[in-house]
Amino acid sequence: TWQSIVGAFGISAIVAASYPYVVLKIGQGPNVSVVAAFLGALFLNITAYATRGKNRLLNNIIQTAGTSAASTAFMCVVAAAFGYLAMDERVDVKVTIDRIPMFLWLTCSGVVGVLFTVIFRRMFIDDPKMVFADGIAAAETITVLDTEGEGSAGEVRALGIASAFSAFINFIVEAV
């Protein structure tokens, strides 16, 4: 649907723009599957409210694209590290990547990541015995955020309040 396509592009842009900062700030590349699923659910609750409770596969597409965008942004950070090493005269590593090969490398890896991941995502969501913790967390987030009923509203509200509180605490810590 148009919601999944627009959501995938929008969430991917947000995640890809913020991921290099996160990597450089904390020194590692955290997995953003749950973040992308949460942002996808927020987007779908606004744009696809009429189909609420049936948006799991739409959110899965958004989450997959967001995760792929984060991986691509991480590869940009790695490539930038080699660029900085090439500028340092004390280091004997002189690796440079021109713009066209870089663009092709990132584009091809992103496309392959999205295409192959989307094929297997349904299996990961429908399989209750998932082995990977990230897959379990992303699937549970997608399921909880796409259910209708009295209990689900409280869970979504609790997740939103916890996210806002976490962002507020992080802002205070960074400001001080």
Side-chain angles (χ1 to χ4, degrees), residues 13 21 24 47 51-52 89-90 97 112 114 130-132 160 163:
Y21 172 78
L24 294 173
T47 61
T51 58
R52 186 160 188 224
E89 295 172 5
R90 298 172 293 162
I97 305 171
V112 167
V114 169
M130 287 183 278
V131 179
F132 302 104
S163 298

Side-chain angles (χ1 to χ4, degrees), residues 82-111:
F82 281 109
Y84 284 122
L85 280 174
M87 290 189 301
D88 191 350
E89 295 172 5
R90 298 172 293 162
V91 179
D92 193 26
V93 175
K94 303 297 180 203
V95 176
T96 58
I97 305 171
D98 292 329
R99 290 181 182 174
I100 298 297
M102 172 65 84
F103 174 77
L104 292 173
W105 175 50
L106 294 174
T107 301
C108 291
S109 62
V111 167

Side-chain angles (χ1 to χ4, degrees), residues 54-76:
K54 300 177 182 92
N55 289 337
R56 289 183 181 130
L57 294 178
L58 299 179
N59 194 2
N60 186 257
I61 291 168
I62 294 171
Q63 179 265 328
T64 302
T67 303
S68 178
S71 299
T72 304
F74 180 74
M75 289 189 289
C76 289

